[in-house]
Amino acid sequence: MSSFNHLGRLVSGLSLVAKEIAKRSKALETGDFETLIASTAKKVVVSVTDLSGLTKGKVREFSPPRLNGSVAYFNNSPDLVAEPTPAESQLRNESSASDGVVTPSVSVQGKVLEEDRITKEEIGDLDRDNEGNAGAGGVAVSPAETVAAATVLKRRKPRERRVPSSPFTRALGFAGLGAGLAWGTVQESAKRLVFGAPSSQEKQSAYSPYLSDKNAERLALALCRMRGAALKLGQMLSIQDESLVPAPILAALDIVRQGADVMPRSQLNQVLDAELGADWSIKLTSFDYEPIAAASIGQVHKATKDGMEVAMKIQYPGVADSIESDIENVKLLLDYTNLIPKGLFLDRAIKVAKVELSRECDYELEATNQKRFRSLLSDAKGFYVPLVVDDLSCKRVLSTEFVSGIPIDKVALLNQETRNYVGRKLLELTLMELFVFRFMQTDPNWSNFLYEEATNTINLIDFGAARDYPKRFVDDYLRMVVACANGERDVVIEMSKRLGFLTGEESEAMLDAHVQAGFVVGLPFSNSGGYDFQSSNITHSVSSLGATMLRHRLTPPPDEVYSLHRKLSGAFLACIKIGAVVPCRELLLEVYKDYQFGEDGENEMLSGSIS
């Protein structure tokens, strides 16, 4: 019976394809069936078969780097020589003569950098740094360190494919993905009928034929091709642990973290012409068509303007207009898979995600956020926010000063003194953003924080997820954090009710789990002196309590918490990753003693400093 149910799902998935064609095609309305067939045949073949996994599809991969092949020079100045530097020549020659093993290299303004080739002899050294890939999907090396990384997980070669930009092609892509997942479920069910199901000890996916390795990989690769809100939600899911998302899905979503496919040059030029005007190139000296980063919403390219290196973030076409439909389609897939526990209140999370993604797609807003942070941190030692290049920025293109550095997770390879310094600065910044500015950059991606060893500075990038927090919320949240640090159960419960975490009708089991989770998170702030994050077991402890809270939770968290806790957990995970020892209680008390509690409208900007 189960197999017939899965077969029914396959038929339903395929019917979605036909429905989308019928619903969105003007040719059907006019009766021009010949035009309909001609205009949709290619889209059906590419989108349905490739996304569904029924066929492999044909992917145009990047060709090996050519000498200056990706860099366009726009000013015919005699001092612009099209020959590569000796270092570039050596690098590219080594690349073409390699064994074919790929790993990322130096990380700079973008999050995922050019991929260089390494020899087999280097693999042994790289394996020791395997865990460093779990975050931004890229790695980096400082000039003083020999750093590289390889992973036993599957890695994707960079792929160049057009972004599905119209409502029709995106809807068709999701329909094809749904059909592919249903087909994969039927295949897995048939396999289990013949060979038997794997043991639960062997695979966590044993209880569901949907959660097969092939289906998980099919889902991740489809998200990489679709990009936009779909990929963003996949990346959010990828940072969860197995208590929330099954292991096969997490393993496949690690592919998602490595970055999206990239736009071909023709589509990239179309976007630049539409956003900056057909004469955009006259404002530049050069532009590198090879992206240094490809993320969920856009990709980053390096350029030069008036002698300054510039990072240009260019949004994928159609992404902003498809947020609503993309998220609804992802929700349908999540409902179909039953991956998300009811205690997560998916509908509320989806609502918050739509608002956040809409803001992230507005690059004019991000430019304003970046300028605001640059002003707020202008006197702060140890931080730098790059300039915004206004005449190369608009709603879908954001150009900023290019900055370099290594992502925060790679600080783990430096000495203990440096690790402690960076960990302290991260927590100082996080506390200051929330309790001093009440304005926080909430994306904890490790590659948004680039440590520059030469200047002992953390370069901050990517402010699309920045947001304000209400004064009253911050007041009560600070009271709760201090109560968690001091182990004050009654205060934690009272502040949790005021903030909206609890209704007052919870069971004793829920209250105990909620309070204990607060105490665990408050542990770094509970005692004076340095707290060794790497020796802690915070994430495991919170995860074990999370299962109880998911079963007994009566209300979703307040909207402010989705972004806030994402940032706070990211700061903790970064300190754990780099093995920092940080005087957390001293940092908290320093903020607390200068904090002025009051109503909204009072103390609009509290005075504070960081050193």
Side-chain angles (χ1 to χ4, degrees):
M1 180 63 69
S2 175
S3 297
F4 285 110
N5 289 337
H6 294 315
L7 185 59
R9 285 178 174 174
L10 172 60
V11 174
S12 297
L14 291 173
S15 69
L16 285 175
V17 179
K19 287 180 180 178
E20 289 299 335
I21 294 174
K23 182 171 65 175
R24 299 180 180 274
S25 178
K26 295 181 179 179
L28 272 181
E29 298 175 3
T30 61
D32 189 354
F33 292 101
E34 183 177 348
T35 301
L36 170 64
I37 295 173
S39 64
T40 60
K42 182 178 180 180
K43 294 173 182 176
V44 170
V45 171
V46 173
S47 297
V48 178
T49 61
D50 192 22
L51 285 175
S52 67
L54 297 175
T55 63
K56 296 297 183 182
K58 184 176 181 180
V59 177
R60 184 154 59 96
E61 296 186 1
F62 287 133
S63 58
R66 301 185 301 275
L67 299 183
N68 290 309
S70 65
V71 181
Y73 293 96
F74 301 116
N75 295 338
N76 296 319
S77 175
D79 60 336
L80 289 176
V81 182
E83 291 299 319
T85 65
E88 289 173 334
S89 297
Q90 180 181 358
L91 177 63
R92 287 165 176 167
N93 289 337
E94 290 173 353
S95 172
S96 62
S98 68
D99 294 60
V101 182
V102 178
T103 189
S105 73
V106 183
S107 178
V108 285
Q109 169 84 18
K111 301 172 187 175
V112 182
L113 300 179
E114 295 182 10
E115 302 209 358
D116 301 324
R117 297 179 183 271
I118 56 173
T119 61
K120 291 179 180 178
E121 289 75 10
E122 295 173 293
I123 298 270
D125 293 332
L126 300 179
D127 284 338
R128 291 193 293 271
D129 194 40
N130 176 40
E131 293 182 358
N133 290 319
V139 299
V141 291
S142 97
E145 298 287 335
T146 304
V147 180
T151 176
V152 295
L153 297 172
K154 295 180 180 180
R155 297 199 63 83
R156 300 182 70 242
K157 292 182 179 180
R159 299 185 178 195
E160 185 180 277
R161 309 169 85 168
R162 291 185 66 86
V163 180
S165 56
S166 69
F168 172 77
T169 54
R170 296 193 71 80
L172 189 61
F174 279 108
L177 173 59
L181 293 175
W183 173 247
T185 304
V186 172
Q187 288 180 310
E188 181 67 18
S189 297
K191 178 181 175 182
R192 293 184 182 191
L193 284 174
V194 176
F195 301 104
S199 66
S200 58
Q201 292 80 15
E202 181 182 333
K203 284 180 179 282
Q204 185 174 342
S205 58
Y207 62 85
S208 172
Y210 170 80
L211 298 176
S212 65
D213 293 338
K214 287 289 186 182
N215 259 3
E217 186 174 348
R218 183 179 283 119
L219 173 63
L221 294 178
L223 294 181
C224 286
R225 181 175 188 271
M226 295 294 292
R227 285 155 279 193
L231 179 59
K232 190 75 172 181
L233 289 178
Q235 290 171 337
M236 290 178 179
L237 281 176
S238 71
I239 65 173
Q240 304 298 331
D241 58 39
E242 292 185 27
S243 67
L244 296 180
V245 180
I249 301 297
L250 285 180
L253 288 176
D254 184 76
I255 299 173
V256 171
R257 279 204 300 263
Q258 297 170 25
D261 293 336
V262 302
M263 290 183 282
R265 184 176 298 199
S266 58
Q267 190 176 39
L268 179 62
N269 280 328
Q270 290 172 2
V271 174
L272 289 171
D273 289 347
E275 298 297 330
L276 297 177
D279 61 345
W280 61 269
S281 61
I282 67 173
K283 301 175 183 178
L284 297 172
T285 304
S286 66
F287 179 85
D288 193 342
Y289 278 95
E290 189 99 353
I292 57 176
S296 57
I297 295 174
Q299 60 191 50
V300 182
H301 292 258
K302 190 174 181 180
T304 55
K305 172 183 171 59
D306 300 329
M308 179 176 69
E309 291 185 320
V310 176
M312 297 181 64
K313 182 160 65 172
I314 303 159
Q315 192 172 121
Y316 301 129
V319 164
D321 298 328
S322 64
I323 291 174
E324 186 87 18
S325 59
D326 273 12
I327 291 181
E328 288 302 322
N329 284 323
V330 171
K331 182 178 182 296
L332 287 174
L333 288 175
L334 293 176
D335 288 340
Y336 165 69
T337 60
N338 294 319
L339 282 178
I340 305 300
K342 292 182 179 179
L344 280 182
F345 292 93
L346 181 61
D347 287 340
R348 175 66 72 87
I350 290 293
K351 173 188 171 185
V352 173
K354 287 179 181 178
V355 174
E356 291 185 357
L357 287 169
S358 296
R359 290 173 60 86
E360 288 192 49
C361 286
D362 186 348
Y363 286 177
E364 290 176 340
L365 176 61
E366 181 175 350
T368 300
N369 292 339
Q370 184 159 335
K371 292 175 183 178
R372 185 175 171 187
F373 262 105
R374 182 175 171 84
S375 175
L376 291 170
L377 294 171
S378 59
D379 296 327
K381 291 182 59 178
F383 298 105
Y384 183 76
V385 178
L387 288 163
V388 174
V389 183
D390 288 317
D391 63 340
L392 284 173
S393 299
C394 59
K395 198 172 183 66
R396 302 287 181 251
V397 177
L398 176 62
S399 300
T400 65
E401 174 189 3
F402 185 93
V403 292
S404 62
I406 62 173
I408 288 300
D409 60 320
K410 289 301 150 187
V411 173
L413 299 161
L414 305 180
N415 60 60
Q416 186 65 50
E417 181 181 0
T418 301
R419 304 204 303 265
N420 293 346
Y421 169 80
V422 171
R424 177 182 181 123
K425 300 303 284 187
L426 281 178
L427 283 182
E428 280 183 343
L429 176 64
T430 302
L431 294 174
M432 184 167 61
E433 285 178 299
L434 180 58
F435 298 123
V436 179
F437 303 149
R438 299 196 304 277
F439 181 58
M440 175 177 278
Q441 189 280 97
T442 63
D443 186 350
N445 190 317
W446 288 333
S447 291
N448 289 340
F449 308 87
L450 303 175
Y451 176 63
E452 194 169 14
E453 191 174 4
T455 59
N456 210 23
T457 299
I458 300 176
N459 294 317
L460 306 175
I461 61 173
D462 198 342
F463 297 92
R467 60 157 295 170
D468 290 284
Y469 290 92
K471 179 70 165 60
R472 182 172 297 177
F473 172 86
V474 175
D475 283 356
D476 288 340
Y477 198 87
L478 178 56
R479 293 185 180 106
M480 187 176 71
V481 170
V482 173
C484 289
N486 294 336
E488 300 169 342
R489 174 187 171 91
D490 291 342
V491 179
V492 171
I493 293 176
E494 177 61 27
M495 290 302 107
S496 296
K497 291 178 182 178
R498 288 171 58 169
L499 288 165
F501 288 100
L502 302 174
T503 66
E505 304 296 326
E506 281 77 14
S507 65
E508 196 63 29
M510 173 61 190
L511 290 178
D512 286 342
H514 178 79
V515 171
Q516 288 303 313
F519 288 169
V520 169
V521 175
L523 190 61
F525 304 100
S526 61
N527 295 304
S528 300
Y531 181 80
D532 187 350
F533 277 90
Q534 205 161 54
S535 66
S536 69
N537 202 21
I538 292 178
T539 54
H540 177 74
S541 300
V542 172
S543 294
S544 61
L545 293 167
T548 300
M549 290 189 285
L550 288 175
R551 287 196 302 270
H552 297 281
R553 179 178 286 162
L554 299 180
T555 185
D559 290 352
E560 294 88 351
V561 163
Y562 289 90
S563 57
L564 174 58
H565 283 187
R566 184 168 65 238
K567 175 63 176 283
L568 295 179
S569 63
F572 272 31
L573 288 172
C575 289
I576 293 171
K577 172 62 183 175
I578 67 177
V581 178
V582 182
C584 301
R585 185 171 181 84
E586 286 77 359
L587 296 178
L588 177 62
L589 293 179
E590 183 178 341
V591 169
Y592 187 75
K593 68 181 178 64
D594 292 329
Y595 192 85
Q596 300 179 43
F597 294 91
E599 297 297 326
D600 275 322
E602 297 180 9
N603 310 314
E604 282 305 316
M605 185 58 65
L606 302 175
S607 61
S609 61
I610 185 169
S611 60

